[in-house]
Amino acid sequence: MEQGTLLSELPAMRILENEHRYLASLMDEWHAIVLDFQNDRYTVDRAKPQFDRLRKLLNDFKAPLRRHFHKEETYFFPRLGKHIGYDQGPIVSIEQEHEEIFAYIDHFLHYAGGEFSLEEMKALSRDAGEAFEILTVHFVKEETVLFPMTGQVMKPAEQEQLNKELYTLIVE
């Protein structure tokens, strides 16, 4: 799938897909720093400002990600769950991933304040790397499994209502 290509024909799902693209662009920025840590590309002098930048980027990333997840959990998942089940199956695992992603980000942010050796910064940055990997697969699962189900199981009136509910910004 190309970066600019949207898979869904449904307006509501296109909103979520567009948000995925926006979030992925933010993720690419902080993930590049993670990769540089993991591939030993930093000297001690260069590592500290990059680690501080990673902390700031991740902290800034949390707000739009939280808004995106909130929209899915408040509107999309309950509406889809009426048709495919809400207590087990794909929605449950997707919601668990939401929690897991924030656990990695919050763990990083909780421990990332302070002075660290290069090896400690490299170790801490692994949490951000885990969040990136889970999120990347998470977006693909939503777009290839959940989003297509919407068109198959929801009536046009429900799809239209969902579109109205999702039509809000995730940035301030």
Side-chain angles (χ1 to χ4, degrees), residues 109-142:
L109 292 172
H110 178 77
Y111 288 101
E115 295 298 318
F116 301 101
S117 70
L118 184 55
E119 281 306 307
E120 289 169 327
M121 287 185 270
K122 180 178 177 177
L124 283 167
S125 73
R126 285 189 192 106
D127 282 337
E130 288 294 326
F132 178 88
E133 289 180 27
I134 295 166
L135 261 168
T136 301
V137 173
H138 177 83
F139 289 162
V140 170
K141 282 195 272 187
E142 285 184 341

Side-chain angles (χ1 to χ4, degrees), residues 30 33 48-61 108-114 116:
W30 53 261
I33 299 169
K48 177 65 175 141
Q50 287 301 99
F51 191 75
D52 291 343
R53 184 166 172 257
L54 174 60
R55 188 173 61 238
K56 181 187 182 329
L57 289 171
L58 268 174
N59 194 54
D60 293 348
F61 178 71
F108 171 81
L109 292 172
H110 178 77
Y111 288 101
F116 301 101

Side-chain angles (χ1 to χ4, degrees), residues 36-37 41-51 53 118 121:
D36 286 344
F37 271 108
R41 292 192 183 115
Y42 293 130
T43 61
V44 175
D45 292 339
R46 184 79 177 114
K48 177 65 175 141
Q50 287 301 99
F51 191 75
R53 184 166 172 257
L118 184 55
M121 287 185 270

Side-chain angles (χ1 to χ4, degrees), residues 43-131:
T43 61
V44 175
D45 292 339
R46 184 79 177 114
K48 177 65 175 141
Q50 287 301 99
F51 191 75
D52 291 343
R53 184 166 172 257
L54 174 60
R55 188 173 61 238
K56 181 187 182 329
L57 289 171
L58 268 174
N59 194 54
D60 293 348
F61 178 71
K62 279 180 61 175
L65 181 65
R66 188 175 311 283
R67 288 184 198 103
H68 172 75
F69 284 175
H70 176 75
K71 286 167 63 168
E72 290 180 335
E73 293 170 1
T74 303
Y75 303 111
F76 177 48
F77 297 160
R79 196 172 292 280
L80 182 61
K82 288 178 188 174
H83 298 280
I84 67 167
Y86 199 76
D87 297 331
Q88 60 184 11
I91 294 175
V92 171
S93 65
I94 290 288
E95 283 188 319
Q96 288 170 342
E97 287 174 0
H98 285 186
E99 293 173 19
E100 188 178 4
I101 291 159
F102 269 108
Y104 278 112
I105 293 171
D106 289 340
H107 186 267
F108 171 81
L109 292 172
H110 178 77
Y111 288 101
E115 295 298 318
F116 301 101
S117 70
L118 184 55
E119 281 306 307
E120 289 169 327
M121 287 185 270
K122 180 178 177 177
L124 283 167
S125 73
R126 285 189 192 106
D127 282 337
E130 288 294 326

Side-chain angles (χ1 to χ4, degrees), residues 1-47:
M1 142 179 63
E2 290 181 38
Q3 187 73 13
T5 305
L6 297 179
L7 300 174
S8 184
E9 298 296 319
L10 301 178
M13 297 302 93
R14 290 176 76 86
I15 291 169
L16 295 178
E17 279 187 88
N18 272 317
E19 290 175 3
H20 286 178
R21 298 300 172 273
Y22 171 71
L23 292 166
S25 71
L26 297 177
M27 290 163 53
D28 287 344
E29 193 173 355
W30 53 261
H31 189 243
I33 299 169
V34 171
L35 290 176
D36 286 344
F37 271 108
Q38 298 310 309
N39 293 313
D40 299 314
R41 292 192 183 115
Y42 293 130
T43 61
V44 175
D45 292 339
R46 184 79 177 114

